[in-house]
Amino acid sequence: MTTPAEKPIVIAHRGASGERPEHTLAAYQLAIDQGADFIEPDLVPTRDDVLVARHENEIGGTTDVATHPEFAARRVTKTIDGEQVTGWFTEDFTFAELRTLRARERLPALRPGNTAYDGRFTIPTLAEIIALAKRRSAETGRTIGIYPETKHPTYFAGIDHPTDAPLVAELRAAGWDHADAPVFIQSFEVANLRRLKTMTRVRLIQLLGASGGPADAAHPSYAAMTTPAGLKEVARYADGIGPDKAMLWASGMPSALVADAHRAGLKVHPWTFRAEDPFLPPALRGRPGRTGMRADIRAALDQNIDGLFTDFPLDGVQVRDGVP
């Protein structure tokens, strides 16, 4: 099989989520058809500890759970990473119960075309996503990897549903427990990445926000983690960083982040390139079609990033490969 050599990798953010409801096998399938190198599932557990792909453990906005009267009493308010959230949560459902739900478009106002697929797809498991990547790798002759994010690991460990060990166990069962495996594990927290470093040889990515800091309070701020000294510390346990794409810029000019990360030996995979105006820099808004996003991607690639997350993987692949 062939793998992308020196080319930046294109990571299908929640699948081809600009064109199908996110975190569905249909979104992942389309992303693979469009040439994505990696498909990205956000992972949360069920009550019986099956890892499934949802943007958050609160599923009121991404499934039809609100239309199921049998689950009405499970709507509750919880505190997650210091914030109160009201809705329905995966950890309160068995996998069998969750399988009775159907996915819905999370951003219907911005992506009305995706609502045509509401109700068609189930919530996939990590095992199903691994199987899809393996099957399509065999069919296409190119290696398709997965790029799972561990969501709220401290919160889940605190309610006796830890996710790190189950994730590593599933990867190991797939034969993916080595540095060359087609896998990156990502997290906005630090402690679980340090722990994962002792559990697996799979590559690890420290996610970084443009503001705030890790929910596990391992560092005072993400900004402190992006100094040269901070990046050297990250390199002790991670293979790369996944910064908010806004962090690539400072006063309209390239920031020092990519160069500083590379000096620390870290890969740089910024997130998330999207076509809709609210997600674009002001100077690129109002352009026809996806030309604004494509210009945004091109500018990031010009900074020598090592990969990128996008909701529109076909555009990411085409811009990377110089296809008009």
Side-chain angles (χ1 to χ4, degrees), residues 1-322:
M1 292 185 183
T2 59
T3 57
E6 297 302 319
K7 287 183 179 181
I9 60 172
V10 173
I11 306 145
H13 185 244
R14 310 173 193 169
S17 54
E19 299 179 86
R20 297 291 187 277
E22 65 188 33
H23 291 314
T24 59
L25 290 180
Y28 297 129
Q29 184 82 265
L30 180 58
I32 293 167
D33 291 342
Q34 293 181 344
D37 302 305
F38 286 80
I39 51 178
E40 187 235 14
D42 296 333
L43 298 178
V44 292
T46 64
R47 191 169 71 198
D48 44 352
D49 292 313
V50 177
L51 291 178
V52 297
R54 288 290 87 191
H55 171 51
E56 290 289 346
N57 53 324
E58 198 292 300
I59 54 174
T62 61
T63 74
D64 61 358
V65 65
T67 69
H68 286 250
E70 68 272 27
F71 299 136
R74 297 196 199 178
R75 187 173 186 269
V76 295
T77 298
K78 300 188 179 190
T79 300
I80 300 172
D81 294 349
E83 295 186 9
Q84 283 200 331
V85 182
T86 300
W88 292 263
F89 298 84
T90 58
E91 64 267 26
D92 296 330
F93 292 76
T94 65
F95 174 64
E97 290 173 329
L98 209 61
R99 200 65 151 182
T100 67
L101 307 180
R102 294 297 180 268
R104 300 181 64 182
E105 170 57 38
R106 188 174 62 89
L107 302 172
L110 290 176
R111 295 173 175 171
N114 282 6
T115 63
Y117 300 95
D118 285 355
R120 295 193 190 184
F121 310 124
T122 57
I123 297 172
T125 65
L126 172 60
E128 290 173 322
I129 295 165
I130 291 172
L132 174 65
K134 283 177 170 283
R135 184 178 74 251
R136 293 307 312 278
S137 293
E139 292 171 355
T140 63
R142 59 188 179 88
T143 300
I144 296 149
I146 69 167
Y147 206 123
E149 179 184 347
T150 60
K151 302 291 288 193
H152 311 297
T154 296
Y155 164 79
F156 284 120
I159 61 169
D160 295 324
H161 290 287
T163 55
D164 293 343
L167 170 57
V168 170
E170 290 214 43
L171 294 176
R172 187 171 292 129
W176 289 346
D177 188 26
H178 51 89
D180 294 326
V183 181
F184 289 92
I185 301 175
Q186 53 175 329
S187 179
F188 277 104
E189 295 189 21
V190 175
N192 79 305
L193 287 178
R194 291 184 182 277
R195 184 167 55 251
L196 284 164
K197 179 72 171 178
T198 70
M199 299 169 65
T200 180
R201 291 173 290 173
V202 166
R203 293 165 292 180
L204 307 176
I205 299 292
Q206 175 68 65
L207 295 175
L208 302 168
S211 61
D216 60 2
H219 282 276
S221 69
Y222 289 122
M225 298 173 70
T226 62
T227 64
L231 291 167
K232 288 180 181 178
E233 179 61 27
V234 170
R236 294 169 64 91
Y237 61 87
D239 300 275
I241 58 171
D244 183 327
K245 65 187 179 73
M247 301 170 77
L248 302 182
W249 305 95
S251 302
M253 299 294 291
S255 71
L257 181 59
V258 176
D260 286 346
H262 284 167
R263 274 192 288 271
L266 295 165
K267 300 290 188 184
V268 182
H269 300 160
W271 53 272
T272 300
F273 292 88
R274 293 165 162 150
E276 296 83 8
D277 274 0
F279 304 119
L280 291 171
L284 296 179
R285 294 173 187 167
R287 298 191 180 190
R290 300 175 189 166
T291 55
M293 177 185 65
R294 291 171 74 100
D296 200 19
I297 292 172
R298 179 73 266 162
L301 289 169
D302 287 345
Q303 290 199 38
N304 296 316
I305 60 174
D306 304 286
L308 60 97
F309 290 83
T310 179
D311 291 3
F312 297 87
L314 178 61
D315 294 88
V317 170
Q318 290 180 338
V319 175
R320 179 197 64 189
D321 294 347

